[in-house]
Amino acid sequence: MEEKLKSIRWLILDVDGTMTDGGVYLNDHGMETKKFNIKDGAGILLARQAGIEPVILTGRESGCVRHRAKELGIRYVFQNVRDKKRFLLEFFERQGIQKEEAAYLGDDLNDLASMKLVGTAVCPRDAAKTVRNHCQYVLEARGGEGAVREFVEMILKERNVLESCMEELWG
């Protein structure tokens, strides 16, 4: 399993239930908000520092997601994607991505087909049981509570670069 971690160059991230707690918060005016965990943000910065390209792939459309991705410098943000599997197949072909180079972090049934396209399937502890059964890694953290960070640290520890990446980012 450790060799899988060393080959990851692309980190495909679902949003609801993975980068967030899965809740949809609507105010009185129907405006949606989401809660993102700052630790996950730091994990994404660490991934980028180590040369791992984060990709957001979500079935919903949200200004909150666009804003958070911009804050974190995520170049690849794809929202309102109904057929994630087909989209990923095309994206991998356009980018020349081999399945072993990609990990997918998702939590629910709409992620499952895409998870089968990558070398490493990962989910938070509170993912749907069917998803947990498919994943090579089931994280300790729940969605929106540091799951992204946990997985990125796992990768960087395996590569022996966690400390150097933290030093380069934050001194």
Side-chain angles (χ1 to χ4, degrees), residues 37-50 68 71-72 148-149 152-153 156 161-171:
N37 189 298
I38 203 75
K39 291 176 184 156
D40 286 334
I44 289 168
L45 294 177
L46 283 166
R48 289 183 54 234
Q49 184 68 32
R68 186 65 175 145
E71 285 180 340
L72 296 171
V148 176
R149 168 83 165 268
V152 169
E153 285 189 4
L156 301 188
V161 297
L162 178 60
E163 298 298 325
S164 63
C165 286
M166 289 187 327
E167 180 71 25
E168 290 170 21
L169 281 171
W170 300 297

Side-chain angles (χ1 to χ4, degrees), residues 12 57-58 81-94 104 109-118:
I12 316 301
L57 180 61
T58 180
V81 177
R82 296 293 170 221
D83 187 344
K84 291 182 177 185
K85 178 183 176 182
R86 186 173 58 155
F87 181 89
L88 266 187
L89 284 169
E90 293 170 5
F91 181 73
F92 285 3
E93 186 175 324
R94 280 193 316 270
Y104 190 109
L109 300 177
N110 65 330
D111 297 309
L112 198 54
S114 298
M115 292 175 134
K116 294 176 181 179
L117 298 177
V118 299

Side-chain angles (χ1 to χ4, degrees), residues 24-135:
V24 176
Y25 304 94
L26 300 172
N27 68 17
D28 290 342
H29 305 288
M31 298 296 296
E32 180 180 30
T33 60
K34 296 182 184 290
K35 181 188 91 167
F36 294 94
N37 189 298
I38 203 75
K39 291 176 184 156
D40 286 334
I44 289 168
L45 294 177
L46 283 166
R48 289 183 54 234
Q49 184 68 32
I52 299 168
E53 190 75 49
V55 177
I56 289 178
L57 180 61
T58 180
R60 298 183 46 128
E61 181 79 29
S62 171
C64 301
V65 172
R66 261 190 315 282
H67 184 74
R68 186 65 175 145
K70 185 177 180 181
E71 285 180 340
L72 296 171
I74 300 174
R75 297 186 308 159
Y76 298 98
V77 181
F78 305 104
Q79 298 193 74
N80 205 25
V81 177
R82 296 293 170 221
D83 187 344
K84 291 182 177 185
K85 178 183 176 182
R86 186 173 58 155
F87 181 89
L88 266 187
L89 284 169
E90 293 170 5
F91 181 73
F92 285 3
E93 186 175 324
R94 280 193 316 270
Q95 298 296 326
I97 299 169
Q98 301 299 309
K99 75 180 265 177
E100 297 77 23
E101 299 175 311
Y104 190 109
L105 180 51
D107 72 305
D108 214 343
L109 300 177
N110 65 330
D111 297 309
L112 198 54
S114 298
M115 292 175 134
K116 294 176 181 179
L117 298 177
V118 299
T120 307
V122 187
C123 68
R125 177 178 57 150
D126 59 339
K129 183 177 182 179
T130 303
V131 173
R132 288 193 317 265
N133 289 341
H134 174 74
C135 289

